Amino acid sequence: QLQLQESGPGLVKPSETLSLTCTVSGGSISSSSYYWGWIRQPPGKGLEWIGSIYYSGSTYYNPSLKSRVTISVDTSKNQFSLKLSSVTAADTAVYYCARHVGVPSEYYMDVWGKGTTVTVSS
Amino acid sequence: SYELTQPPSVSVSPGQTARITCSGDALPKQYAYWYQQKPGQAPVLVIYKDSERPSGIPERFSGSSSGTTVTLTISGVQAEDEADYYCQSADSSGTSVVFGGGTKLTVL
């Protein structure tokens, strides 16, 4: 059974870089059928897609976050990672990693991690 | 930027039918997907490609599409269906994922 697990610091200082890793178990991140990505949810608010990556390294980002986001993949470790630079309090959220099924014009998320809370505060 | 519009809340009594709508200009050309999220939990996919139901999702969940509006229908609502529901699609460029603002379903 495929499982995704987010990990990383729960507290990040303003202006610094948020870094999270998603470890995939029970399946290969190198499968040709899937992308892998990140979604976040600020406290009490809705879902916001951050971006996705293919095992080959091709990436797609939310235009509103593109200038600050980098998603990378490490197939040898079956992991993919998120870096969000110059964070502010508005980046405080629960961050989910999720498997994306299909191609970018019509993909959806069928397996999600449990989420990890990241707070931006000094 | 592209937006998907959902009603903030829908309320129904147990056993009734709940309908949650999602509107967006690109929906005639893009598939829609629906997620259920209960407090403190990750979202769960309940409908994909407008009307397909993943394995393990009860038959009372169905989806439909008409023009710029897609609808999630829950027939015979049960107390356990009380949750937030989000629609999701792609923008007109087909390269960015967009979520609706979410609808809180209350079972009275």
Side-chain angles (χ1 to χ4, degrees):
Chain A
Q1 180 182 0
L2 188 79
Q3 292 186 324
L4 284 71
Q5 178 67 58
E6 305 90 351
S7 60
L11 181 64
V12 181
K13 290 182 168 56
S15 81
E16 295 190 345
T17 296
L18 177 160
S19 297
L20 296 174
T21 296
C22 183
T23 300
V24 180
S25 58
S28 174
I29 203 169
S30 299
S31 171
S32 60
S33 301
Y34 307 111
Y35 282 70
W36 307 87
W38 294 92
I39 301 95
R40 70 180 183 178
Q41 184 171 35
K45 296 187 178 181
L47 301 169
E48 181 179 34
W49 181 75
I50 299 171
S52 69
I53 191 165
Y54 197 54
Y55 75 93
S56 64
S58 297
T59 54
Y60 292 87
Y61 298 134
N62 184 327
S64 68
L65 298 170
K66 187 173 183 177
S67 64
R68 298 194 293 131
V69 172
T70 301
I71 297 176
S72 58
V73 63
D74 187 336
T75 55
S76 67
K77 295 182 179 179
N78 229 31
Q79 295 177 333
F80 61 103
S81 299
L82 168 70
K83 291 188 184 299
L84 181 65
S85 63
S86 304
V87 297
T88 69
D91 296 309
T92 293
V94 176
Y95 285 75
Y96 296 99
C97 59
R99 186 173 76 172
H100 291 39
V101 180
V103 297
S105 60
E106 58 183 46
Y107 53 25
Y108 56 96
M109 300 99 212
D110 69 334
V111 181
W112 296 63
K114 293 183 177 180
T116 188
T117 298
V118 178
T119 302
V120 178
S121 176
S122 56
Chain B
S1 62
Y2 183 57
E3 293 184 352
L4 296 173
T5 301
Q6 298 180 235
S9 63
V10 168
S11 299
V12 296
S13 298
Q16 290 189 331
T17 297
R19 294 181 179 85
I20 300 172
T21 59
C22 173
S23 299
D25 290 342
L27 288 178
K29 301 178 182 178
Q30 303 285 3
Y31 283 121
Y33 309 90
W34 290 94
Y35 301 87
Q36 175 194 68
Q37 186 181 34
K38 296 182 178 179
Q41 298 183 18
V44 173
L45 179 73
V46 294
I47 293 290
Y48 68 100
K49 292 190 177 181
D50 292 345
S51 59
E52 300 295 320
R53 194 173 51 250
S55 61
I57 300 301
E59 291 184 5
R60 64 180 181 273
F61 288 86
S62 63
S64 60
S65 176
S66 179
T68 59
T69 299
V70 293
T71 302
L72 172 69
T73 300
I74 310 172
S75 304
V77 167
Q78 301 181 6
E80 66 196 51
D81 300 329
E82 185 164 284
D84 293 325
Y85 290 85
Y86 294 91
C87 61
Q88 175 241 308
S89 188
D91 66 2
S92 55
S93 74
T95 60
S96 185
V97 169
V98 180
F99 286 98
T103 299
K104 181 175 180 59
L105 175 66
T106 299
V107 181
L108 300 171

